[in-house]
Amino acid sequence: MATTVRTLCVELKRFTLPYSSNWVSKTKVLCCKMSTESPSLTHTITLPNKPSEPIHIVAAPGVSHSDFWNAVESSLFKQWLHNLQTENGILADGTMALRQVLVQGVDMFGKRIGFLKFKADIFHKETGKKIPGIVFARGPAVAVLILLESEGETYAILTEQARVPVGRIILELPAGMLDDNKGDFAGTAVREVEEEIGIKLNAEDMVDLTAFLDSATGCRVFPSGGGCDEEISIFLYRGRVDKEIITQLQGKETGLREHGELIKVRVVPYKKLWRVTADCQVLVAVALLEMAMKEGLLPTLST
């Protein structure tokens, strides 16, 4: 319900105190505010392993009824709650408690939530201290390191994109968010490469570099765990091509224009890759690849 505030201003030029015969000459403006604000949108839940600890979910001012319930029922929020209860989750050992979640913002991508921002009140039970809990939720994503060999040289295929949040044009890996709840990471990786680079790959040719991590990590990387829930699977594709293909890719304009993607393809010798960009996905991919090669974990590149 929209908030309506009525302000009643009454100007009194002469008034007398009760039970007094002395008139006082003064000018005053008396303003009284009458609020008809409706109660905040709220919802209460309990987690399966914490039935005696209710969690209050509250909508911040400006969050609509539909956005609030989209947030509560979203896979982004449900996955975050699940993560809290996993073996190494914040609530796993019982020393922490989640008391309230304030839903602050929702950005819809068509009929699904793209970005969700909320504030979680999580306290240490013994000391009562609250830990930082502002969350920007966008969910899982993929990135692909494409290495093409040609005439004895290995090249990495990157994208050049304008990134408004950092105010810079960045060289980065082809990457994208998962569009559904099916967890098709390899399929998403293939699709992103086709959209951003313009080449068609097969999912079975992808090597999941993050799968080499210890299972306790979830086998994904967290680029900004202090503020964002994003977890990324990094894939590797290796192939051999004629030099003509390398030349054709350099500077190629791609991307989904209707989605605001203005992308240029950049080809960089692999030996220079770790120095030409500060994109963390590129640097993590290089580190994972180098360690995987060192330990002999990569399959042999077929001819």
Side-chain angles (χ1 to χ4, degrees):
M1 180 183 294
T3 301
T4 304
V5 178
R6 298 176 181 174
T7 303
L8 175 64
C9 297
V10 180
E11 181 175 348
L12 303 178
K13 294 195 175 180
R14 297 178 63 87
F15 69 90
T16 181
L17 296 176
Y19 310 108
S20 171
S21 59
N22 297 323
W23 290 90
V24 182
S25 296
K26 285 198 175 182
T27 301
K28 279 197 174 183
V29 176
L30 176 65
C31 294
C32 302
K33 291 185 178 180
M34 299 170 55
S35 175
T36 59
E37 292 183 358
S38 60
S40 299
L41 288 168
T42 62
H43 180 58
T44 301
I45 63 172
T46 56
L47 301 178
N49 59 344
K50 308 285 182 183
S52 62
E53 298 179 5
I55 302 166
H56 304 291
I57 307 173
V58 183
V63 175
S64 69
H65 183 276
S66 61
D67 280 351
F68 176 72
W69 286 108
N70 281 336
V72 171
E73 297 170 359
S74 69
S75 60
L76 288 177
F77 187 60
K78 290 178 180 178
Q79 183 62 48
W80 178 77
L81 290 173
H82 171 76
N83 291 345
L84 294 175
Q85 305 168 76
T86 55
E87 184 178 355
N88 59 346
I90 292 176
L91 304 182
D93 63 3
T95 61
M96 301 281 189
L98 171 61
R99 298 178 184 172
Q100 178 174 289
V101 174
L102 178 67
V103 177
Q104 298 174 312
V106 177
D107 287 308
M108 301 298 295
F109 288 8
K111 295 182 179 181
R112 69 179 183 87
I113 288 184
F115 301 137
L116 170 62
K117 184 176 181 294
F118 59 89
K119 184 177 180 181
D121 290 340
I122 298 181
F123 293 84
H124 187 263
K125 293 179 180 179
E126 184 176 344
T127 64
K129 298 291 185 180
K130 184 166 70 171
I131 63 175
I134 296 177
V135 181
F136 175 68
R138 55 175 294 163
V142 298
V144 187
L145 174 60
I146 303 174
L147 297 181
L148 300 180
E149 293 184 16
S150 181
E151 297 183 1
E153 181 82 72
T154 299
Y155 298 91
I157 312 302
L158 305 179
T159 63
E160 180 183 89
Q161 299 196 59
R163 293 305 191 185
V164 175
V166 295
R168 297 173 182 266
I169 294 175
I170 298 180
L171 285 176
E172 56 189 45
L173 300 181
M177 301 163 58
L178 264 68
D179 291 335
D180 51 43
N181 304 327
K182 299 177 182 178
D184 184 12
F185 286 84
T188 301
V190 167
R191 185 176 67 253
E192 291 299 329
V193 169
E194 185 172 3
E195 291 176 359
E196 298 189 2
I197 304 297
I199 57 178
K200 179 71 174 178
L201 303 179
N202 296 318
E204 56 268 23
D205 295 328
M206 296 287 191
V207 177
D208 187 351
L209 293 175
T210 40
F212 297 137
L213 296 172
D214 190 282
S215 59
T217 67
C219 295
R220 291 173 195 149
V221 295
F222 303 95
S224 187
C228 183
D229 76 325
E230 184 179 37
E231 50 185 43
I232 303 175
S233 291
I234 298 181
F235 289 85
L236 167 70
Y237 173 83
R238 297 176 296 165
R240 293 189 176 97
V241 297
D242 295 333
K243 194 60 178 287
E244 181 183 359
I245 299 297
I246 300 298
T247 303
Q248 290 174 353
L249 286 173
Q250 186 69 272
K252 181 180 180 180
E253 295 185 353
T254 61
L256 300 177
R257 292 302 196 261
E258 65 273 19
H259 293 171
E261 293 181 346
L262 306 175
I263 298 172
K264 285 186 178 181
V265 178
R266 296 300 183 194
V267 181
V268 177
Y270 175 72
K271 60 187 177 184
K272 297 182 179 180
L273 180 59
W274 71 279
R275 303 187 70 175
V276 300
T277 179
D279 177 54
C280 74
Q281 295 178 41
V282 172
L283 300 177
V284 169
V286 169
L288 290 172
L289 173 60
E290 291 295 325
M291 293 306 299
M293 289 193 299
K294 182 179 179 180
E295 297 192 17
L297 300 176
L298 292 179
T300 303
L301 177 61
S302 62
T303 56

